[in-house]
Amino acid sequence: MSTKKLLTSMLVLLIALTFTATLQAESPELNLWQHEFVIDWQGREAVVDFFEENTQLNVDEDYGPAGFDSIEEQFIIQGRTGYPDVLEGTPEQMFTYQEAGLVHSLDEFWQDYEDKDQYPESLLEALEIDGELYGLPYSHNVRMLLYRESVFEEHDLDVPETWDEFVETAAYISENVEDMQGFIFTSEADEVRVMQEFLTFYYQLNNEGLFDDESDPARLLASEEELAEVLKLYDDMYTEGGVDIDERGSDWMRTDYGYTGGDFAMVTVGPWVWGHRAEDDEASDVLDDTGITHPPVHEEGEAATFMEVAPMMMNAHSEHPEESWELLKEVTSKDFQLLINTLSGAQAAREDAMEQDAINQLIEERDDIDEEMAGDWWLAGFSEYADIGVAPSAVSWDRPEDYIIDAIQEVIYEQQTPTEAAEELYRNLDNLDL
Amino acid sequence: MSGNKKKDSFFSRINIFSSFLQKRTLTEKKKITGWLMLLPVIPAFLIVIIFPALMGIINSFTDADIVAMTVGIGAEFFDIVDFIGFSNYMDLFTDGDFWEVTLRSFALVGIAVMLQYVLGLILALLLDEGLKGFGWFKNVIMLPWVVPVASMVVIFNWMTAPNYGVVNMLLETIGLEHLTTNWFGSLAFAFPIIIIMHVWRNMPFYALTLYAGLSSIPQNQYEAAEVDGATAWQKFRHITLPNLKYPSMVVIVLHVLWTFNNFDIIYLSTGGGPVGTTEVMATEVYDMAWNLNLMGRAAALGVIMMLIMMIFSGMYLKLVGGDV
Amino acid sequence: MSGKSNEKIITLGKYLLMVCYTIFILAPFIWILYSSLRWEPNLFAGEFLANPGGLTFNNYFRAIAGANFGEYFLNTLTISFITTAVVTLLALLGGYSLSRFNLRFKNQIIMAMLSSQMFPHVLLIIPFFAVMSGFKLLDSYTGIVLTHIVLGLPFGIWLIKGYFDGVSTSLDDAARIDGLGSVGILFRVVLPVAAPGVAVTAFYAFMVSWGDYLFVSIISQSSSTRTLTIGLDNFLGATQIQWGPINAATVLTVLPTIVLFAFLQKWIVKGLTSGATKG
């Protein structure tokens, strides 16, 4: 008897649970995955409020997963269900999504877009695959050499122009400046920043890029010698002491927080480290003491650097493509871009959102933006060299990234010479069927 | 029936007698009650685990890639993928890294579980002593297990970082400056640190389970042994250990499976580096599935892992006593 | 042979060992707790005590605001409690059934349940999403709870079965003569004796649910079902980590379980019943 009772009550419980669950499931009209709405940073509230007050659309107030990795995993798993309608990501992710048929080509909408002239051609090209546009540029950045002006002045040093000077200067600083290391490479396994830094230096030898994405499968453009040269730079940096041997395998946090914490005299990063000044006086001092210039150039190369363009994309399976396009336009609109980029210290992708007058006006209008924080000289420093930025080829970057990081680690952990590692890297990249 | 070897002949005789009776008198109807008690479990398993696992096995014989991953399951999936027989398996076996990574998985599981068990058992015995002043410790002992892996890794990372990391700060303070390093990036220390994180995280659960086991050992067994003049070691060897056989078995199997399949501790802390010295099978599976776009091969590796674990569990359970 | 000084040394050794354990297990927490109370800039000072501005609860306020803490906490608590209750109940029934009814395929059933933990979970999530989607269980407590039950149950059943095996069937028989049914025997006779095992099982189930990230991340699609482990992601940006709040959020995530454990571990006490009840 009591067994039956127990089982019945459990069944009732289960049914009740299922019932409440179905009641919860009422789908809102549009879904947006935008990590800056979720992740905790100093401008989040202002940005979300601005968006929610101004949107003409019915957008669910839940803005998806917080991390880029989670966004990619979950979008691949559930993109086909049409959820979310609009999402942001990295260009590398966009290439992957496109391959899987998950993102909508924007060409049909783009033709009639009144603001299309606001976007520089180079940024649009970075988000094109086979001539079709798959994402609206949302923000962009180039990697620059940041250096500590006071350190260079005090020790009467010149900012390095060439790789040789670079290695020499970094080693000199590590040797002679107390508690300071000349430079830092990010070198952790499975860390995308490592590949980006590698490309920053590689592009100087070959600004056509690493792969020719027009051919199918994509053709490797690099020569074994070029790869070896870059790997040799890594090798030299560690053996000469520009980067401490104990900093091998360090992650992006070490690079960013180490620089703003005053541990390094030089780094190659993007404008985002500006955000560190929000909480930290020491970081503010370091940033105020920072000079910005293009990364040192290989003796036989030309100035070039890694450029990243963040795309805002539309789900190919969205049930509301028209409304999704409207949403895409809203989150890339001038006013919104102006606000979010001024708050986060990122470079906008639209020209009208980069105008100094507009930024100044915004700072005046809103009292939640600290003038100190706006840092126009900072962004200007990056914008000055924007045209040497090279965007990654439109291929799926996961495997190349793996191989590049492997090669770097083989070299800096002294398992292989730069030449050996370059030989293997060349073979691996050349065999890829991208 | 009771798997315990009985020391007390009177009770064991009653036991044998009653179980004999029970076997005879248990009607089929009673057995149905038994099945009913198990019933609610079965559909849940089918839905959540068995079906997805079957899909995984099917996947391992296909060339499934990212496109197939977005489709999930259903007819469309079979349109997209091709069945390629054992190619994925052959690719794995001929891949230079496979054996190395497999061995490293074994090493990680072996060392971590052994350390956890020994340290956990000692801690359980200490808890059982009821040392004065440490009563509160039982309440907080499980903390490591509750910390989400992501924040555990971020915090360990931060604590071991050069300059502002507490580990290196401590070393500097006690004058061992030459030992400071980037621990996760060190060829010599990356793997040991991974093991330490595993031990830190899981050892308390061993302690707790074994402590619960100790708590249910009847005092009279010890009293009887004392009357016979047994030494502490003899009591431990002949009463404590045999009584802990079952919880030990459960907790070891649980953690062998958990450690073998865990990818996020390593993936988030070292990403398998430096130069692959912390790469294990579980991180390879993740890498293949999510980064290298080789879903089929990842599934094949998953199936191999499952087979290894089945063989292990089967052998282990046989070894420690026929009746699980 | 057992001189007093000898015994003292042993006791001292035990205390020393215990202190080592305490340090090993708690030191990271104490550092996290301390860090969660410091102003963020001091975290990078590279000094132990430098605290210009003193200690602060600022990180806690930010953690609570930034992670939607209240809602996520409630979700996590609800999901974990239901999971724990159901797993414990089902494990009691299942464990009892496997221990007492001499069922056919008993060992195979246990192996089958264990095998559910043998396939890498990363590979399960794709078909798993399809199943959840098919049953309309996405973004629901039911879906998450169901998953957590299945994750926690195999070891729950197995563990409890072991403790039940340790309880002599003579008790059952006596109770049966008194007219109790199987369920009555289970709850009134066997359960009190096997309480430590039940407590461990309950705690295991709770932890599985409390700590799960992978499955919740797939099932949950809105803040109404998101849990604390997912909420922690909000502080781990791609270019910036909110170190203060992540420390505070970790403390906040962990603290409630201390309360639970203080409660549960009272069940794990020595000598609940006299030795005579054991086989």
Side-chain angles (χ1 to χ4, degrees), chain C residues 151-166:
Chain C
L151 292 179
L153 203 49
F155 283 98
I157 291 184
W158 201 29
L159 205 63
I160 283 195
K161 174 192 169 284
Y163 285 93
F164 283 177
D165 281 347

Side-chain angles (χ1 to χ4, degrees), chain C residues 1-258:
Chain C
M1 173 156 160
S2 58
K4 253 202 173 146
S5 62
N6 210 346
E7 215 159 90
K8 258 188 189 160
I9 289 172
I10 291 174
T11 315
L12 190 72
K14 283 175 186 166
Y15 270 96
L16 264 176
L17 256 178
M18 198 66 175
V19 170
C20 290
Y21 274 106
T22 316
I23 292 173
F24 177 62
I25 291 177
L26 290 187
F29 278 107
I30 292 166
W31 187 245
I32 293 168
L33 187 68
Y34 174 55
S35 302
S36 73
L37 293 167
R38 299 172 83 183
W39 288 99
E40 223 169 11
N42 299 336
L43 298 179
F44 296 95
E47 283 162 61
F48 289 103
L49 293 169
N51 270 324
L55 297 176
T56 172
F57 280 102
N58 186 38
N59 293 321
Y60 286 88
F61 297 132
R62 283 183 55 199
I64 288 167
N68 227 343
F69 201 87
E71 191 177 11
Y72 292 1
F73 181 73
L74 220 63
N75 290 340
T76 317
L77 208 63
T78 317
I79 290 167
S80 310
F81 266 107
I82 300 177
T83 304
T84 310
V86 178
V87 167
T88 315
L89 186 70
L90 292 183
L92 277 172
L93 292 173
Y96 186 73
S97 164
L98 289 173
S99 169
R100 290 296 194 268
F101 287 97
N102 214 7
L103 299 175
R104 237 205 264 197
F105 308 123
K106 187 177 74 177
N107 288 357
Q108 285 81 349
I109 291 171
I110 292 175
M111 268 305 263
M113 287 196 302
L114 286 187
S115 66
S116 67
Q117 314 284 312
M118 291 176 189
F119 202 64
H121 285 169
V122 225
L123 292 175
L124 291 180
I125 55 177
I126 292 166
F128 171 79
F129 174 81
V131 172
M132 285 291 153
S133 175
F135 282 92
K136 299 261 176 291
L137 288 174
L138 289 177
D139 205 25
S140 70
Y141 278 2
T142 320
I144 298 174
V145 167
L146 186 70
T147 315
H148 289 175
I149 291 172
V150 175
L151 292 179
L153 203 49
F155 283 98
I157 291 184
W158 201 29
L159 205 63
I160 283 195
K161 174 192 169 284
Y163 285 93
F164 283 177
D165 281 347
V167 180
S168 160
T169 47
S170 57
L171 282 179
D172 297 34
D173 299 333
R176 208 176 293 279
I177 291 163
D178 289 346
L180 276 176
S182 290
V183 176
I185 295 174
L186 164 58
F187 284 99
R188 294 204 199 148
V189 182
V190 186
L191 173 62
V193 186
V198 177
V200 173
T201 303
F203 199 67
Y204 175 73
F206 186 83
M207 289 303 110
V208 165
S209 180
W210 192 265
D212 174 52
Y213 176 95
L214 192 63
F215 288 96
V216 177
S217 76
I218 297 301
I219 303 172
S220 169
Q221 296 189 324
S222 72
S223 58
S224 64
T225 51
R226 218 160 275 154
T227 57
L228 284 177
T229 44
I230 309 259
L232 279 170
D233 272 7
N234 293 3
F235 305 110
L236 305 171
T239 56
Q240 238 179 308
I241 289 190
Q242 309 294 333
W243 294 97
I246 194 109
N247 283 316
T250 304
V251 173
L252 287 174
T253 309
V254 166
L255 276 185
T257 59
I258 299 182

Side-chain angles (χ1 to χ4, degrees), chain B residues 1-321:
Chain B
M1 290 311 309
S2 168
N4 274 22
K5 296 271 171 292
K6 286 111 203 152
K7 292 250 149 33
D8 191 316
S9 61
F10 173 68
F11 280 110
S12 70
R13 232 173 269 157
I14 284 200
N15 229 349
I16 292 166
F17 180 61
S18 68
S19 66
F20 175 72
L21 259 186
Q22 202 180 19
K23 263 184 198 154
R24 276 296 154 112
T25 53
L26 253 186
T27 59
E28 281 308 305
K29 198 180 144 211
K30 284 261 169 58
K31 280 208 175 175
I32 289 171
T33 320
W35 282 111
L36 276 178
M37 285 174 154
L38 269 177
L39 194 65
V41 183
I42 294 162
F45 271 95
L46 283 179
I47 296 171
V48 183
I49 302 284
I50 305 298
F51 172 71
L54 279 179
M55 280 305 295
I57 294 170
I58 294 175
N59 254 332
S60 74
F61 295 102
T62 69
D63 61 351
D65 62 357
I66 193 145
V67 186
M69 282 158 87
T70 65
V71 176
I73 49 171
E76 210 185 335
F77 175 83
F78 294 99
D79 288 343
I80 292 173
V81 300
D82 286 326
F83 281 86
I84 53 171
F86 282 90
S87 294
N88 286 323
Y89 293 89
M90 298 319 287
D91 286 348
L92 277 176
F93 292 134
T94 50
D95 177 4
D97 281 352
F98 174 77
W99 300 105
E100 196 190 319
V101 168
T102 307
L103 276 180
R104 195 171 297 116
S105 263
F106 288 172
L108 173 70
V109 173
I111 298 172
V113 170
M114 198 184 69
L115 277 176
Q116 287 162 2
Y117 183 74
V118 173
L119 293 174
L121 180 61
I122 295 172
L123 181 55
L125 292 167
L126 283 171
L127 289 177
D128 198 46
E129 292 277 325
L131 294 179
K132 273 208 186 86
F134 279 101
W136 57 276
F137 191 53
K138 287 177 209 158
N139 294 341
V140 294
I141 186 178
M142 289 303 292
L143 283 181
W145 213 37
V146 203
V147 180
V149 172
S151 56
M152 172 179 89
V153 171
V154 168
I155 286 163
F156 264 80
N157 212 331
W158 173 63
M159 292 199 316
T160 57
N163 281 14
Y164 47 80
V166 64
V167 174
N168 288 323
M169 275 156 60
L170 273 174
L171 286 174
E172 270 169 40
T173 314
I174 57 175
L176 295 171
E177 243 171 38
H178 58 283
L179 287 180
T180 62
T181 180
N182 173 28
W183 298 87
F184 280 114
S186 150
L187 281 179
F189 291 112
F191 194 64
I193 287 216
I194 299 281
I195 289 178
I196 289 176
M197 284 204 286
H198 275 94
V199 172
W200 182 75
R201 190 173 181 76
N202 291 330
M203 183 261 283
F205 187 69
Y206 286 73
L208 178 78
T209 314
L210 298 174
Y211 171 59
L214 288 172
S215 308
S216 47
I217 300 176
Q219 272 306 313
N220 63 352
Q221 292 191 8
Y222 289 108
E223 283 155 16
E226 236 150 76
V227 172
D228 293 345
T231 64
W233 168 251
Q234 281 171 331
K235 281 190 275 181
F236 176 72
R237 177 72 192 78
H238 296 291
I239 301 174
T240 312
L241 274 188
N243 270 297
L244 288 180
K245 193 179 92 179
Y246 198 88
S248 301
M249 176 174 81
V250 174
V251 86
I252 284 175
V253 171
L254 169 69
H255 283 91
V256 167
L257 299 188
W258 191 89
T259 312
F260 197 66
N261 278 333
N262 175 271
F263 79 99
D264 46 6
I265 291 185
I266 292 179
Y267 183 74
L268 294 173
S269 60
T270 64
V275 262
T277 47
T278 57
E279 194 82 74
V280 294
M281 294 174 98
T283 55
E284 281 271 288
V285 168
Y286 184 87
D287 226 30
M288 285 178 190
W290 287 108
N291 294 336
L292 303 183
N293 196 8
L294 296 167
M295 193 60 197
R297 202 191 290 185
L301 187 51
V303 171
I304 294 175
M305 289 173 72
M306 188 164 70
L307 287 177
I308 292 175
M309 282 299 99
M310 281 182 153
I311 294 168
F312 161 79
S313 309
M315 271 171 36
Y316 182 77
L317 297 179
K318 267 260 151 59
L319 207 70
V320 293

